[in-house]
Amino acid sequence: MGPTTGEPRKVRGYAEVSHETGSELLEQVLGQRARVSARLDTIGAVIAVASGKGGVGKSAVTANLAVSLARRGASVGVVDADLNGPSLGRMLGLRGSKLVDGSEGVVPPAGADGVLGMSSELLLKEDAPLRWKGPDSDRFIWQGVTEAAMLREFLSDVVWGELDYLLVDVPPGTDKIGRFLDLVPTPAGVLVVTIPSEVALSVVSRSVASLREAGVESIGIVGNMSGYSSPDAEHPLPLFSGDGIRRLTESTGLELWAEIPFDPGMGSRTDRGDPPGASDDSVFGRAFQALADRVEQGFGGREVAP
Amino acid sequence: MKFLCLACDEVMAFAERQLPGDGTLTAVFTCPDCKREMALLTNPMETQMITSLGVEIGGRTVPQQPMQQTRMGLESPLEDAFEAPPTPPAADGPVTWSVEATERLENVPRFVRGMVKRIYAEYAMEREIREITPEIMDRARSDLGLEGM
Ligand SMILES: Nc1ncnc2c1ncn2[C@@H]1O[C@H](COP(=O)(O)OP(=O)(O)OP(=O)(O)O)[C@@H](O)[C@H]1O
Ligand SMILES: [Mg+2]
Ligand SMILES: [Zn+2]
């Protein structure tokens, strides 16, 4: 219908009326973001541990670094952003621990060396996949949005308190790094974990590029499974034929912050919820010593005593 | 999303939300001038979009509770993942629960019970209600649009 002659009818558009009652949906989304930054305000350094590549030891590095920092007296929290393939509940010995409905939010349990942790492992029945209620037909369309909301709640609704470091174990996939940066646009730094294999090289290079595109400059490379070692070995034996770690640092111009050997004993302790970290003088232990040093200096979560 | 009453050139105000339980949503808006009403109906897919974002059409009736979206949405939750704090939070204030209300709360799945309890307590405190009874719970449910809980 509408007028047939003269001036076309003028209907006020959204922008013209939005000030009248506020834009509720947008305001609610912005409110969610504001709650994340308010909660992270009391944290010295939020550090992501990422790679883009699966199975390179991101979770093991996160757990061992967390206990290494905690043993130096830092207060440390860990967010398991791998919602579908969580492993930090197990690696920090948190399985079976309860969350507490506190007045300020959800109080996380403390695991190995007092490290606080939040993982979807604490919320799901054993072996239950992460699935959401809702119409069956479009399940996968909404999954990404809903998972982003879950991660947001892990950051904003958990009582982290005053921490020196909050480490975030970011799952494989470059898109998952983006999802983290949507919530925490300016982390203190990102540790990019890689292994010597040539296959890892191209995937991890892409992740570094996407981090830089997002404006993240503070990046340290962690070379994992760099040789095979045991507690009494002087030097690690080669494990992969590739030279991907060195080539990654050369092509990106980034520094190698630590080179961690594959040490089966240390791996099984980590998987049992007792990550050894920098506990002894083995090659593995010294590597985490070095990594913790670099994190303290480079990402500055904590006032280091002069 | 807004509705403009063209007759009055006024933005319609959100009045009420209903969740019929079949995945759809009904939101009623009223023109502040001529009082004409209209209802927005969304299908399950559209409703899911809103739920996934953790927002509520017409604005939130109660502040979002800690981990509310995760707790409302998870399909196979670990029932006893959450426990009550050793001493009840000060946020509960002077509100007490009648025996019947306590019994009814016990029927709420454990995974969301602490959160639901907080919502009722906040509702009561805001209205200076001292004791929560099943009647108060019913009133809160319809006032707050908690049909889904
Ligand atoms: N340096 C190491 N020495 C011994 N075991 C290791 C080492 N690094 C990782 N592992 C072990 O290898 C397995 C895979 O590592 P992890 O789960 O940390 O990889 P991830 O990158 O987190 O994998 P995903 O991409 O699936 O999340 C684990 O059992 C872990 O304990
Ligand atoms: Mg992992
Ligand atoms: Zn009107």
Side-chain angles (χ1 to χ4, degrees):
Chain A
M1 290 196 293
T4 46
T5 53
E7 293 282 298
R9 170 160 82 164
K10 172 77 177 97
V11 177
R12 290 196 290 158
Y14 189 91
E16 293 162 275
V17 303
S18 59
H19 64 280
E20 286 176 25
T21 55
S23 167
E24 300 91 353
L25 297 191
L26 183 62
E27 269 165 15
Q28 290 175 54
V29 170
L30 294 177
Q32 293 168 348
R33 296 292 161 100
R35 283 207 301 282
V36 174
S37 43
R39 184 72 79 180
L40 301 184
D41 242 12
T42 54
I43 295 174
V46 179
I47 298 169
V49 181
S51 171
K53 180 96 181 106
V56 295
K58 297 175 292 299
S59 304
V61 167
T62 306
N64 282 284
L65 175 61
V67 298
S68 303
L69 291 167
R71 285 191 204 127
R72 294 175 171 207
S75 46
V76 183
V78 170
V79 172
D80 190 348
D82 197 342
L83 307 171
N84 283 285
S87 40
L88 282 165
R90 178 188 295 269
M91 287 183 177
L92 292 171
L94 293 171
R95 277 165 27 125
S97 302
K98 302 280 171 250
L99 298 158
V100 176
D101 262 315
S103 52
E104 302 300 317
V106 173
V107 181
D113 292 282
V115 172
L116 302 178
M118 184 67 212
S119 168
S120 59
E121 265 183 295
L122 300 176
L123 296 169
L124 289 168
K125 285 198 181 118
E126 182 136 19
D127 298 330
L130 183 69
R131 297 189 78 188
W132 303 94
K133 294 175 195 160
D136 263 333
S137 49
D138 311 304
R139 197 177 281 277
F140 291 101
I141 300 184
W142 305 119
Q143 190 167 319
V145 186
T146 315
E147 285 179 14
M150 186 181 200
L151 180 57
R152 170 173 52 71
E153 291 188 334
F154 279 13
L155 293 166
S156 68
D157 294 3
V158 171
V159 185
W160 294 113
E162 308 221 335
L163 291 181
D164 296 310
Y165 300 99
L166 184 67
L167 307 183
V168 183
D169 178 12
V170 180
T174 321
D175 56 322
K176 301 303 190 304
I177 299 177
R179 182 165 83 185
F180 164 76
L181 291 175
D182 265 353
L183 292 163
V184 186
T186 53
V190 178
L191 290 175
V192 172
V193 182
T194 192
I195 55 173
S197 118
E198 296 290 321
V199 180
L201 179 62
S202 68
V203 180
V204 180
S205 299
R206 274 178 228 285
S207 302
V208 171
S210 81
L211 282 167
R212 285 180 158 161
E213 240 166 62
V216 178
E217 290 301 332
S218 188
I219 306 171
I221 303 288
V222 177
N224 190 27
M225 306 193 191
S226 164
Y228 176 92
S229 187
S230 59
D232 23 62
E234 277 289 319
H235 298 289
L237 305 169
L239 188 64
F240 290 91
S241 59
D243 191 16
I245 297 176
R246 187 185 53 78
R247 287 179 51 205
L248 181 72
T249 54
E250 276 174 8
S251 66
T252 58
L254 291 168
E255 262 185 90
L256 182 60
W257 280 23
E259 231 175 328
I260 302 163
F262 185 85
D263 184 326
M266 301 298 190
S268 75
R269 275 184 62 184
T270 303
D271 294 351
R272 281 201 313 268
D274 174 28
S279 60
D280 61 17
D281 203 34
S282 64
V283 184
F284 185 95
R286 288 202 304 270
F288 276 99
Q289 199 74 50
L291 183 57
D293 282 345
R294 287 305 303 259
V295 166
E296 278 185 350
Q297 291 150 18
F299 293 160
R302 207 167 160 245
E303 305 285 312
V304 193
Chain B
M1 186 185 322
K2 296 201 180 300
F3 297 100
L4 189 66
C5 177
L6 289 181
C8 313
D9 195 31
E10 283 286 337
V11 177
M12 299 180 93
F14 169 72
E16 146 178 38
R17 171 171 38 236
Q18 290 178 1
L19 298 165
D22 56 359
T24 66
L25 176 140
T26 303
V28 179
F29 291 79
T30 317
C31 171
D33 262 17
C34 69
K35 309 293 174 211
R36 193 167 287 143
E37 291 186 307
M38 63 173 289
L40 166 75
L41 312 176
T42 67
N43 68 28
M45 168 124 168
E46 292 156 345
T47 311
Q48 184 66 32
M49 181 177 83
I50 304 280
T51 317
S52 305
L53 286 170
V55 296
E56 285 181 5
I57 287 181
R60 296 204 74 86
T61 42
V62 270
Q64 203 162 28
Q65 297 294 316
M67 292 187 60
Q68 175 164 349
Q69 230 182 309
T70 299
R71 291 166 85 170
M72 297 295 289
L74 272 188
E75 207 176 65
S76 314
L78 183 66
E79 268 312 322
D80 57 354
F82 291 88
E83 56 187 25
T87 49
D92 275 10
V95 176
T96 58
W97 291 71
S98 78
V99 177
E100 296 77 16
T102 305
E103 275 169 13
R104 197 159 127 185
L105 194 65
E106 293 293 310
N107 292 328
V108 174
R110 277 179 74 183
F111 193 64
V112 293
R113 196 181 297 156
M115 182 183 94
V116 170
K117 184 174 179 192
R118 236 174 103 132
I119 292 175
Y120 286 124
E122 282 177 11
Y123 174 88
M125 268 188 315
E126 257 169 36
R127 289 161 186 75
E128 296 185 1
I129 295 166
R130 283 309 177 91
E131 187 186 40
I132 299 175
T133 59
E135 294 71 48
I136 299 288
M137 291 167 89
D138 285 336
R139 243 172 63 197
R141 281 166 71 91
S142 73
D143 285 2
L144 303 177
L146 299 180
E147 293 84 352
M149 290 188 191

